Amino acid sequence: MGSLKTMSGGLLLGFCLTLLGWGAEGQWNGRPKKEISGSSPINLGQQQRGTWWPLMQTRENLTEVKSIKSMFQFRTFDPEGVVFYGDTKEGEDWFVLILRNGIPEMQIGKADILVSVQGGPKLNDGKWHLVEISSQGDFVVLEVDGQKGLVVGLRSKETMEVLTGQIRLALGGILVSLDKLLLPFQPEMDGCIQKGNWLNLSTPWETELIGEPWPCYQNIQPGSYFPGAGLAAFNTTDLPGHQTEEGGITIDIHGDSTKMEGTVLSLKTPGQELPTVTVKINNSPKKVILTILKRDTITEQSFSKLSLTLLKNQVNMDIDDTHLTFEIDSIPDFPRRWKEGMILAFGGLPGDGVSYSSIQYLKGCLEKIQVQGQDVDLDRALYKDLSVSSHSCPSEV
């Protein structure tokens, strides 16, 4: 638990209200707005990657706000991202609740004062948690499953002011400029909210979502889910592997291959028409296809772990307990090319440029992706299709 004192009574009410519920004006992109009930299931993972603009928002006159408490159920495996935000006075006073390393963090801005406090239990365990934020005297209190997780004391030298105007609430993003944040963070949140009660307001939330909202699956498991519609791509200069020459570069894929179909990964040099290395899965019939410079090697077996080791003029592939080695004179010096910059894609075959076209997109769950033994977070990809979930997959149980 964390606690901090710095400001005042009336300010706190504004913050809490802000925190708890708000709608926003905004610089909408001109697309039609849809209305969604604040109590319905809301999948935060369908937000545009890299954008700080909220997934949805609402606003209400402060004269209509009769409660200083908001509560909702929240579930995620994601360690970092925006959960919800609120403000008054068009963003002059604001609040945001995020996760960092799975732990709740509140950042609050009032005039020239910034406060950031982190504490409470880790929430990224994939279980539903009841989250409640309320104003209690001079304190903003965050409770998780009925237990206090964070207490922030707020006291200001400013005189008590009568709150007028509107309160804005948002989910999955913020409505203030990034330079107002005390500590930067990764905005994307692969998580779900349901049964929300936002200051006892009935005002619907507005969103610019294209198509139908994503469901919140009944059961989820850790992993990255590819529904067969897109890929995630990295520049290898942003990944581990720059200190190794002799040991090569190792890429590990964990998951049940019998529940996958399509391109698992591909590696290409920018400017080349075709990937240098591709791994595909076909389950009709069951086989893993490794393609190196247009040469296919087919292994008729499934796996729970696949490892690809890239060496100078050599590629090793381990499928569970099966070890395969490929030595081809025309295979490039992978460690050197890796340092110079290649495109490593998961879930498809990347094209050139910023826009990635692909065929044979992967459909399935990659339970864990590692490079040189370090976990790969798809939220930090150079490009990630909106259809791809970074931290959770639907599960049968």
Side-chain angles (χ1 to χ4, degrees):
M1 170 190 296
S3 118
L4 179 65
K5 294 185 178 181
T6 51
M7 308 187 212
S8 109
L11 158 63
L12 184 51
L13 172 62
F15 279 152
C16 283
L17 297 177
T18 296
L19 299 169
L20 312 181
W22 64 286
E25 330 171 289
Q27 305 153 5
W28 294 93
N29 295 325
R31 295 193 293 264
K33 302 174 187 177
K34 299 179 182 179
E35 292 189 346
I36 296 178
S37 168
S39 61
S40 62
I42 299 169
N43 191 324
L44 302 179
Q46 57 200 311
Q47 178 59 297
Q48 171 74 42
R49 180 198 175 273
T51 182
W52 293 81
W53 192 249
L55 173 67
M56 56 187 63
Q57 51 185 291
T58 187
R59 63 166 57 219
E60 185 59 89
N61 293 328
L62 284 167
T63 54
E64 299 299 317
V65 177
K66 307 301 181 183
S67 172
I68 55 174
K69 177 186 294 186
S70 288
M71 63 181 67
F72 55 92
Q73 293 184 6
F74 177 63
R75 182 188 68 181
T76 188
F77 282 114
D78 198 337
E80 185 170 337
V82 181
V83 181
F84 96 105
Y85 162 99
D87 70 22
T88 55
K89 297 189 289 187
E90 299 299 318
E92 289 186 29
D93 299 342
W94 57 271
F95 160 98
V96 63
L97 172 67
I98 72 168
L99 290 191
R100 194 190 302 272
N101 296 320
I103 299 172
E105 177 177 306
M106 291 194 289
Q107 293 193 35
I108 299 172
K110 167 67 174 179
D112 61 347
I113 301 174
L114 292 176
V115 177
S116 179
V117 183
Q118 185 185 59
K122 280 200 169 189
L123 299 185
N124 63 327
D125 57 3
K127 300 177 181 178
W128 285 107
H129 294 280
L130 178 61
V131 178
E132 179 178 314
I133 302 178
S134 62
S135 174
Q136 299 181 17
D138 285 344
F139 297 89
V140 175
V141 179
L142 171 71
E143 294 187 9
V144 177
D145 299 325
Q147 302 294 318
K148 288 184 179 179
L150 272 179
V151 178
V152 184
L154 300 173
R155 178 162 295 175
S156 172
K157 293 181 180 180
E158 296 181 10
T159 57
M160 177 84 72
E161 53 185 319
V162 178
L163 292 173
T164 59
Q166 293 187 318
I167 185 171
R168 306 188 300 178
L169 304 175
L171 298 175
I174 62 177
L175 292 172
V176 292
S177 60
L178 302 185
D179 58 9
K180 288 190 175 183
L181 297 173
L182 183 59
L183 297 171
F185 51 84
Q186 192 80 17
E188 296 92 342
M189 170 51 66
D190 178 3
C192 274
I193 286 175
Q194 67 177 11
K195 300 180 180 179
N197 184 322
W198 313 97
L199 305 175
N200 276 336
L201 298 174
S202 58
T203 309
W205 296 74
E206 291 185 336
T207 181
E208 286 185 306
L209 281 175
I210 299 175
E212 294 301 314
W214 287 5
C216 286
Y217 294 102
Q218 181 175 357
N219 299 304
I220 59 173
Q221 67 182 63
S224 298
Y225 182 60
F226 295 79
L231 56 81
F234 292 82
N235 188 319
T236 57
T237 58
D238 297 326
L239 295 169
H242 303 287
Q243 308 301 321
T244 303
E245 290 286 349
E246 298 299 326
I249 310 296
T250 299
I251 305 167
D252 296 322
I253 301 293
H254 299 254
D256 184 352
S257 67
T258 64
K259 298 178 181 179
M260 302 178 195
E261 189 82 25
T263 304
V264 176
L265 67 84
S266 58
L267 182 67
K268 72 186 293 284
T269 299
Q272 289 187 344
E273 181 179 356
L274 297 174
T276 306
V277 178
T278 303
V279 177
K280 298 178 183 177
I281 294 177
N282 188 333
N283 278 307
S284 301
K286 176 178 64 179
K287 57 185 176 182
V288 177
I289 305 169
L290 171 65
T291 303
I292 304 175
L293 300 175
K294 301 181 182 181
R295 302 182 187 183
D296 290 346
T297 299
I298 299 175
T299 303
E300 296 181 352
Q301 67 181 92
S302 57
F303 66 82
S304 58
K305 178 183 178 182
L306 180 148
S307 296
L308 206 63
T309 302
L310 309 173
L311 301 156
K312 183 177 180 180
N313 307 123
Q314 181 178 318
V315 175
N316 296 335
M317 183 170 70
D318 292 276
I319 303 178
D320 291 335
D321 296 328
T322 301
H323 179 76
L324 302 171
T325 296
F326 305 91
E327 295 185 13
I328 304 174
D329 290 340
S330 55
I331 289 180
D333 182 345
F334 281 111
R336 180 177 62 82
R337 291 281 183 88
W338 187 276
K339 292 179 182 180
E340 293 173 351
M342 303 181 75
I343 300 299
L344 174 62
F346 299 99
L349 305 174
D352 289 324
V354 177
S355 177
Y356 289 84
S357 60
S358 181
I359 58 174
Q360 298 181 349
Y361 287 124
L362 174 67
K363 185 172 184 180
C365 177
L366 302 185
E367 296 175 9
K368 183 183 292 187
I369 304 171
Q370 294 180 311
V371 172
Q372 300 296 79
Q374 297 183 34
D375 292 347
V376 174
D377 184 349
L378 297 190
D379 281 342
R380 303 186 181 276
L382 176 68
Y383 168 86
K384 180 170 77 72
D385 189 81
L386 295 180
S387 67
V388 178
S389 297
S390 298
H391 296 279
S392 66
C393 301
S395 174
E396 296 176 358
V397 292

